[in-house]
Amino acid sequence: MLSLAYMDFSSCFTIFSPRLELLPCLQEVRVGADVPPHLKSQSRKHRGEAPVPRAQSLEALARLGLLPRLTALILKDVTQGELEVALGACGSRLRSLELHYMDRGVRLNSIARLAPGLRHLSISDSLVVWEEGEGVLGGLESCRLMRVQYRGHGERAVLGGCQGLQSLHMEGGPGLAEDWLLSRLHRLNSLQVDLAKSKLLTVVDLRSCW
């Protein structure tokens, strides 16, 4: 057995997953290539890769449950179904989750349901989906929503339900009207905000909340 605490499996996770029991000390795992999906054909390293069959991918992600110390997970270019299988296997232990290249959508309510102890969430280059009334990520301390688009009221989910939030970096969206946003910021005294791409609020406006 190996005592590694971190492993970047890149695109080879399905190959190594049958032997995860040999890596019981892993605390952080990275799955998926760094290259954006639409650029793989131009990458010398990834251009010849064949797509992993869905059944094989789901089986591999389910094996994350074999890692008893896993608290941080990074997933790239997975579907909502694959995310739910991964979180179903290890979400109860996770404190940090990073998601990249989920342009078909990532549902925040499924993260709230399957990873209730999450403290740090980062989503980039993805479509963020959330509807009013769905579960919220109430325990988050930090959140980064980078280069994302929203469906429903995804831009409201974090500020609307995360009372312990201390650090936020997110893209602006049509649901972040100034009066709504300011009403939430008044309740988050320790929050450090970096709101990008918003035409509704300036940095001066944000600072005036305190």
Side-chain angles (χ1 to χ4, degrees):
M1 292 189 180
L2 301 177
S3 58
L4 296 174
Y6 168 80
M7 186 73 175
D8 184 349
F9 290 98
S10 188
S11 299
C12 302
F13 183 68
T14 54
I15 298 174
F16 287 98
S17 63
R19 298 291 181 268
L20 286 183
E21 68 272 10
L22 301 178
L23 299 165
C25 296
L26 280 180
Q27 300 174 34
E28 181 175 346
V29 164
R30 183 182 296 263
V31 177
D34 290 331
V35 179
H38 66 282
L39 294 179
K40 283 187 176 181
S41 62
Q42 303 175 34
S43 168
R44 296 178 61 183
K45 179 179 179 181
H46 299 286
R47 67 176 58 155
E49 288 181 356
V52 177
R54 175 176 169 79
Q56 186 178 350
S57 176
L58 294 174
E59 183 180 0
L61 291 168
R63 293 194 181 105
L64 288 169
L66 297 174
L67 302 175
R69 300 186 184 181
L70 186 66
T71 58
L73 179 63
I74 300 99
L75 296 176
K76 301 181 179 183
D77 190 23
V78 297
T79 65
Q80 175 66 29
E82 289 170 330
L83 171 63
E84 291 186 2
V85 167
L87 295 183
C90 65
S92 62
R93 298 190 294 275
L94 290 184
R95 296 296 176 267
S96 176
L97 177 65
E98 289 186 27
L99 302 172
H100 304 261
Y101 313 131
M102 292 187 65
D103 56 4
R104 286 164 287 185
V106 50
R107 300 195 69 90
L108 295 182
N109 68 311
S110 67
I111 298 176
R113 175 170 49 87
L114 296 171
L118 210 61
R119 295 293 178 265
H120 309 284
L121 175 65
S122 178
I123 302 175
S124 62
D125 302 289
S126 302
L127 174 64
V128 177
V129 181
W130 184 79
E131 296 293 344
E132 296 282 1
E134 293 184 338
V136 295
L137 298 151
L140 281 188
E141 296 174 359
S142 68
C143 183
R144 295 174 65 85
L145 302 176
M146 306 288 295
R147 300 179 302 279
V148 300
Q149 295 180 319
Y150 302 104
R151 181 188 298 165
H153 298 282
E155 65 269 47
R156 292 191 175 198
V158 177
L159 280 174
C162 303
Q163 300 305 310
L165 201 63
Q166 299 174 24
S167 176
L168 173 66
H169 187 139
M170 68 180 293
E171 306 288 355
L176 295 180
E178 185 168 342
D179 56 348
W180 183 91
L181 183 54
L182 293 179
S183 71
R184 296 313 189 270
L185 292 176
H186 277 301
R187 298 188 300 173
L188 298 169
N189 294 327
S190 60
L191 178 64
Q192 299 178 9
V193 179
D194 186 353
L195 185 66
K197 289 186 178 179
S198 175
K199 297 179 180 179
L200 302 172
L201 273 161
T202 66
V203 174
V204 174
D205 292 324
L206 290 172
R207 289 174 178 171
S208 70
C209 297
W210 290 274

